[in-house]
Amino acid sequence: MAEVKANPKDAVTKIFNEIKIGTVAIVDDDFVPDNNFEKMFGIIKTLRSSGRIEFLNGLIHSIDFTSEEIVWKDPLRSYWLGLEHEEISSLLHKLKIELEESGQEPAIDLMAPYSLSRLFEGICEIIPLAPDEWDRIGNDLANGATNENKLLVIFDNKLDRDDEGILLLKKLKKAFPKDSIICGLISYKIKRGDETRKWDELAKRYDIPKDQFLAIAKETTEDDLKFVSELKLVTLNLYCKKLKEKFSTFVLDSHKKSISKIKNLDIRDFDQIIFRSSAVGSVWELDTLLRVYHLFHREVSNRKILENRKSNLSEIINSIRNLSQVTPIKKAGEVGYTKENSIEIQRLELYDNANVINKFHQPLELGDIFKARFNREISHYILIVQPCDAHILNYGERKCNEGLLVKIESGINPNLNQSHRFCELMFLNNKKCYADFNEEFAVNLKILDLCIFNTKGKLIFMDKMDSPDTLTSGLSHCFENRKREFLPKVKKIENKDQIPSLSLRPLAECSLTANHGFEYKLERIGRYRMPYSFELLSRYAQFKSRAAFEHDLTSKKL
């Protein structure tokens, strides 16, 4: 489904129609005229001192702003206290526009609640409330909320005192834990971009589940576009909670049934599937067991979801989908931001963590990432090797012991003519990273295998190395083979130039260690996972198999 782009008013209408919000209550102490006259007076003084007297005289005809302040301040107070809510909202909106045009900062704390009122005007019933008014009629509003006429309550977190807003919110959700009441919290203490961290803090400090409210930076009320985007998240919070609950039920039930299927495997099947097949493939038995579990879990989960398609699960997903696609039209040049959490979750799909692959002593694979030091410079490389050829068989050897380490470049911007030479490694770090196929190093995989047996992934050989107890039978044989091969050579080494060569071209510094050993300044720091690593291999093969042509006889370039 394509995004539904709309102006702020239309976007609010689509959101409210989708989830049936009929009433919005905005609780803010700035709705008490006596409380906020001085703030409004400060705005008038700012505009007057910046030469906007003609504008002010046209805005409030009954007052002459060319006279001294002592003359017009009291009449201004009387005028202000006599205004209705809609009139205050209109006046502040005009003042806000004039402040922006004159290059002045608007008074966000005063403007915010009235800006919201103008945004919701004509779409639903708006009830602006001071804190004491909320205390008086809040329960009646909550009692009247239904699934067909939901109530949205937006609390200002700083009312008569700091954090009073969230205390009112907590009291409301405790007394009325129904889904027909949706809550948002705006605060001047929350800065744009820091909403998630502050939301977490408030939820923990006041013991309120995060699915019961959303914290919003008050500065977003200056821009209807930004605020509507936050408003969409406030309403999504309710439906995402329902989807998470449904999904958790399916997953837990599927997990129980999958474990039951594992337990019901008879000993003959268990021996064949988990142990004998693992031995043939030189795979760790627990990896095979997890593989079988995931097969069972996928099959059971799909069946459970199909059985529940006619329940309200589809309705929940459809509502979330429709809300998610409502996108206010952005200003020219404005770019949305990606949350760090989204990137971290994407990285889980793209990369395996070094702790996992090294502490489990996993064999070398296509996509393994290494850090090397040479001439005091740190470089990063990615392993390119044909997966079948690199696989260690159950007797501890592989079909081919040559691989390629391709250099990873960061902070570059390849042009179109170079595109075949580079392959982007998405989200490897905060800069764009590319595997540079022109910077390749042929390496001896037998020596690189030594990284497998070190829990930190370091390339170290020592004569008294012990075999890790979590190795598969194939890797145990590989360990013994490497020790048998290198130990006699190492005992004869007199200087570092005689250390077994890792690569044809210098790749990493090497040195002798005590007790007949050697070390390369190279360590395995992660893995680019399949199928992304297969794309890397395919791109490399295309780069190496590109055609070469005779020179262009018409070219005049030297």
Side-chain angles (χ1 to χ4, degrees):
M1 179 180 174
E3 285 189 332
V4 181
K5 295 196 174 183
N7 64 47
K9 280 268 189 184
D10 288 345
V12 171
T13 301
K14 290 178 185 294
I15 291 169
F16 282 19
N17 287 345
E18 178 63 39
I19 63 172
K20 300 181 175 65
I21 291 178
T23 305
V24 175
I26 305 170
V27 185
D28 196 308
D29 56 1
D30 278 317
F31 286 136
V32 182
D34 282 342
N35 288 357
N36 54 36
F37 171 73
E38 291 300 329
K39 295 177 185 177
M40 189 277 300
F41 177 65
I43 296 172
I44 298 290
K45 284 182 64 177
T46 298
L47 288 172
R48 186 174 179 276
S49 63
S50 61
R52 295 298 201 271
I53 294 177
E54 185 177 346
F55 162 77
L56 293 173
N57 282 333
L59 182 65
I60 306 174
H61 300 288
S62 60
I63 298 175
D64 180 10
F65 290 98
T66 59
S67 55
E68 295 296 320
E69 178 184 313
I70 193 171
V71 174
W72 54 262
K73 183 174 182 180
D74 284 340
L76 179 63
R77 183 191 300 275
S78 299
Y79 171 81
W80 175 255
L81 295 178
L83 294 177
E84 297 293 333
H85 172 80
E86 292 78 10
E87 293 171 321
I88 293 175
S89 178
S90 176
L91 176 66
L92 289 177
H93 182 65
K94 292 172 183 176
L95 289 173
K96 177 184 176 184
I97 293 173
E98 192 66 19
L99 283 169
E100 290 173 346
E101 290 180 355
S102 64
Q104 305 290 331
E105 287 290 327
I108 299 172
D109 202 42
L110 173 60
M111 300 286 190
Y114 294 97
S115 296
L116 297 183
S117 294
R118 287 185 62 83
L119 179 62
F120 299 138
E121 196 173 43
I123 299 172
C124 63
E125 182 185 3
I126 307 163
I127 305 178
L129 297 169
D132 60 334
E133 293 175 315
W134 170 259
D135 289 338
R136 190 168 64 252
I137 69 169
N139 284 355
D140 292 336
L141 290 174
N143 275 318
T146 66
N147 288 331
E148 296 301 312
N149 186 22
K150 293 186 177 70
L151 170 67
L152 170 63
V153 189
I154 300 175
F155 292 96
D156 180 11
N157 199 31
K158 185 181 183 302
L159 299 175
D160 292 331
R161 61 181 185 275
D162 282 355
D163 289 356
E164 184 179 357
I166 197 166
L167 292 172
L168 290 177
L169 187 154
K170 180 178 180 178
K171 182 179 178 182
L172 171 65
K173 294 303 291 184
K174 186 175 181 179
F176 300 92
K178 54 187 182 179
D179 291 338
S180 55
I181 299 174
I182 303 167
C183 293
L185 183 80
I186 58 174
S187 173
Y188 74 95
K189 289 185 177 181
I190 301 173
K191 301 303 178 185
R192 182 74 175 154
D194 195 33
E195 294 96 335
T196 300
R197 187 179 67 83
K198 287 291 187 180
W199 183 28
D200 287 337
E201 283 183 8
L202 289 166
K204 290 174 183 175
R205 187 186 310 160
Y206 293 98
D207 192 26
I208 306 174
K210 287 177 66 179
D211 54 49
Q212 291 190 1
F213 77 106
L214 187 75
I216 303 170
K218 200 163 192 175
E219 64 186 274
T220 59
T221 59
E222 293 182 76
D223 188 327
D224 289 347
L225 297 165
K226 292 178 181 177
F227 182 77
V228 173
S229 295
E230 293 298 302
L231 177 66
K232 181 178 76 173
L233 297 179
V234 172
T235 55
L236 274 175
N237 207 16
L238 166 66
Y239 286 94
C240 289
K241 168 195 171 186
K242 292 180 178 179
L243 181 58
K244 289 173 186 175
E245 289 172 349
K246 285 277 185 184
F247 179 74
S248 298
T249 300
F250 291 152
V251 169
L252 289 173
D253 189 46
S254 300
H255 166 71
K256 291 177 182 177
K257 290 183 178 179
S258 301
I259 292 297
S260 178
K261 282 175 173 283
I262 292 284
K263 290 180 177 179
N264 288 336
L265 284 173
D266 68 42
I267 189 60
R268 292 179 179 81
D269 287 335
F270 200 82
D271 178 49
Q272 169 57 39
I273 296 169
I274 306 304
F275 287 92
R276 295 179 68 82
S277 72
S278 298
V280 172
S282 190
V283 175
W284 192 27
E285 291 80 3
L286 282 181
D287 279 339
T288 305
L289 191 56
L290 279 171
R291 176 183 165 191
V292 173
Y293 166 81
H294 287 305
L295 291 173
F296 287 153
H297 194 275
R298 183 178 63 184
E299 187 268 334
V300 175
S301 296
N302 287 338
R303 190 169 66 247
K304 288 287 295 180
I305 290 171
L306 284 171
E307 289 172 357
N308 285 272
R309 283 189 70 179
K310 293 184 179 179
S311 68
N312 66 340
L313 177 64
S314 294
E315 293 177 14
I316 295 170
I317 291 174
N318 286 336
S319 293
I320 293 174
R321 185 186 297 128
N322 292 337
L323 287 170
S324 181
Q325 297 304 322
V326 175
T327 305
I329 299 171
K330 293 180 179 178
K331 296 176 181 176
E334 185 180 357
V335 180
Y337 64 92
T338 302
K339 284 192 59 182
E340 291 181 8
N341 205 29
S342 303
I343 295 174
E344 287 305 313
I345 292 172
Q346 183 62 62
R347 280 189 179 132
L348 291 177
E349 184 177 57
L350 294 168
Y351 300 97
D352 280 333
N353 186 278
N355 281 335
V356 173
I357 59 177
N358 291 328
K359 289 184 178 179
F360 283 155
H361 303 288
Q362 294 182 3
L364 298 178
E365 282 189 15
L366 166 69
D368 278 2
I369 299 170
F370 296 85
K371 179 175 71 174
R373 190 181 78 184
F374 185 70
N375 287 340
R376 297 183 179 180
E377 290 188 4
I378 301 296
S379 299
H380 294 84
Y381 301 87
I382 190 164
L383 180 64
I384 293 183
V385 64
Q386 209 288 327
C388 290
D389 291 344
H391 182 69
I392 293 177
L393 302 171
N394 57 2
Y395 55 86
E397 296 297 341
R398 55 170 67 86
K399 295 177 182 177
C400 176
N401 284 305
E402 292 182 356
L404 295 170
L405 284 179
V406 169
K407 193 170 184 180
I408 297 172
E409 302 282 4
S410 63
I412 62 172
N413 188 21
N415 60 44
L416 188 62
N417 293 330
Q418 297 175 308
S419 59
H420 59 281
R421 170 182 162 183
F422 297 95
C423 181
E424 185 176 356
L425 305 175
M426 297 183 294
F427 302 119
L428 181 59
N429 58 36
N430 293 329
K431 295 181 180 178
K432 280 200 169 186
C433 295
Y434 299 86
D436 183 355
F437 298 140
N438 259 4
E439 290 291 326
E440 59 180 357
F441 294 77
V443 292
N444 184 341
L445 296 183
K446 285 190 173 183
I447 296 178
L448 201 60
D449 277 338
L450 297 175
C451 294
I452 300 171
F453 311 118
N454 184 279
T455 55
K456 294 184 179 179
K458 295 184 177 182
L459 201 164
I460 299 175
F461 179 84
M462 295 180 291
D463 64 341
K464 294 183 179 180
M465 288 172 62
D466 293 323
S467 175
D469 57 10
T470 57
L471 296 181
T472 65
S473 59
L475 285 178
S476 292
H477 287 124
C478 177
F479 177 86
E480 296 302 329
N481 293 348
R482 300 297 174 263
K483 195 168 183 179
R484 196 161 41 244
E485 180 177 351
F486 292 130
L487 190 56
K489 296 178 182 179
V490 169
K491 288 183 176 180
K492 298 177 183 178
I493 292 176
E494 296 180 354
N495 58 66
K496 68 176 185 178
D497 293 332
Q498 296 174 321
I499 292 174
S501 178
L502 170 64
S503 57
L504 296 176
R505 289 194 293 150
L507 175 68
E509 298 168 2
C510 61
S511 60
L512 293 172
T513 62
N515 301 322
H516 303 296
F518 64 85
E519 175 182 8
Y520 277 90
K521 297 300 181 183
L522 180 141
E523 61 184 286
R524 184 165 62 168
I525 60 169
R527 174 176 292 155
Y528 197 40
R529 302 184 69 214
M530 299 184 285
Y532 306 98
S533 58
F534 280 131
E535 184 203 14
L536 176 71
L537 176 62
S538 176
R539 292 278 294 275
Y540 176 79
Q542 291 172 20
F543 173 72
K544 285 300 183 181
S545 61
R546 68 194 188 281
F549 299 95
E550 297 287 356
H551 72 277
D552 183 357
L553 296 177
T554 66
S555 176
K556 296 180 181 179
K557 293 182 180 179
L558 294 178

